Amino acid sequence: GDFAGSERLLREGLTAATRVLPAPYPLVATMRTRLADQLAERDDGWPEAERHYRAALAETRAALGPAHPRTLDALRDVGYALATHGLHDEGERMLREALDVGLRLHGPRHPSVAYSMSGLSQALAARGLVVEADRLTPATSSQRQMANDLHRGLELLICGLLQKNSS
């Protein structure tokens, strides 16, 4: 896709949202995470991506509290990003926290728990901890599909709201 165009739109949307929405606001955190995802794909984008991931997590925690499913998703996103960019200990700690809190609050069948298990398993395997990674039960494909559908629906809603507000 057009990563440069997408990044530009995400930056514009984030700038507009931070001007009109009260801080902290979950939508702003979601937009920060999407921008961080884009930046993390670039060879030179990791330092800025890390700042946005961390800011998104802080905003989500402040807006929704530490045990909200979206906060756990943000914790998992930051943990996975850190782990895949060489900050293994901190990333693994965040992934374990997201998984532990998610299991305690929502049980093993919640989509957020499935994503946390998958992210932690991948991070452990990348460090060569294959036995420990294999002990984590992978999420079922239906759990992943349900979570993907939900996230895609939210992204479409956000884009629609931004387009409506920019008109």
Side-chain angles (χ1 to χ4, degrees):
D2 179 14
F3 286 111
S6 176
E7 182 182 325
R8 182 182 52 78
L9 289 174
L10 284 165
R11 286 183 188 282
E12 289 173 4
L14 181 59
T15 299
T18 56
R19 269 190 261 137
V20 298
L21 297 172
Y25 201 82
L27 174 62
V28 173
T30 299
M31 294 173 76
R32 274 192 204 288
T33 300
R34 296 300 159 250
L35 176 58
D37 290 343
Q38 288 280 321
L39 292 167
E41 294 293 319
R42 290 192 347 217
D43 291 337
D44 63 343
W46 173 244
E48 185 181 359
E50 181 182 4
R51 287 191 302 275
H52 282 292
Y53 279 126
R54 291 180 187 277
L57 175 58
E59 289 171 349
T60 304
R61 277 187 171 144
L64 302 174
H68 191 280
R70 286 177 60 186
T71 303
L72 298 178
D73 290 347
L75 183 62
R76 181 201 62 238
D77 290 345
V78 175
Y80 187 76
L82 292 174
T84 59
H85 284 86
L87 300 166
H88 301 289
D89 292 338
E90 185 179 8
E92 184 180 325
R93 181 186 54 75
M94 288 180 168
L95 288 163
R96 286 186 188 281
E97 180 183 346
L99 177 58
D100 292 344
V101 174
L103 282 168
R104 190 175 69 248
L105 294 176
H106 307 295
R109 298 181 62 83
H110 193 274
S112 179
V113 171
Y115 277 120
S116 293
M117 279 186 188
S118 177
L120 179 57
S121 178
Q122 291 173 36
L124 291 170
R127 290 181 80 174
L129 302 171
V130 178
V131 173
E132 188 176 355
D134 286 345
R135 278 194 293 239
L136 295 171
T137 305
T140 65
S141 60
S142 62
Q143 286 174 312
R144 282 195 194 108
Q145 186 59 49
M146 181 174 66
N148 283 337
D149 291 347
L150 176 63
H151 286 245
R152 181 65 183 143
L154 289 172
E155 287 175 357
L156 291 171
L157 176 64
I158 291 166
C159 289
L161 290 172
L162 287 173
Q163 287 177 345
K164 183 178 178 181
N165 288 338
S166 67
S167 301

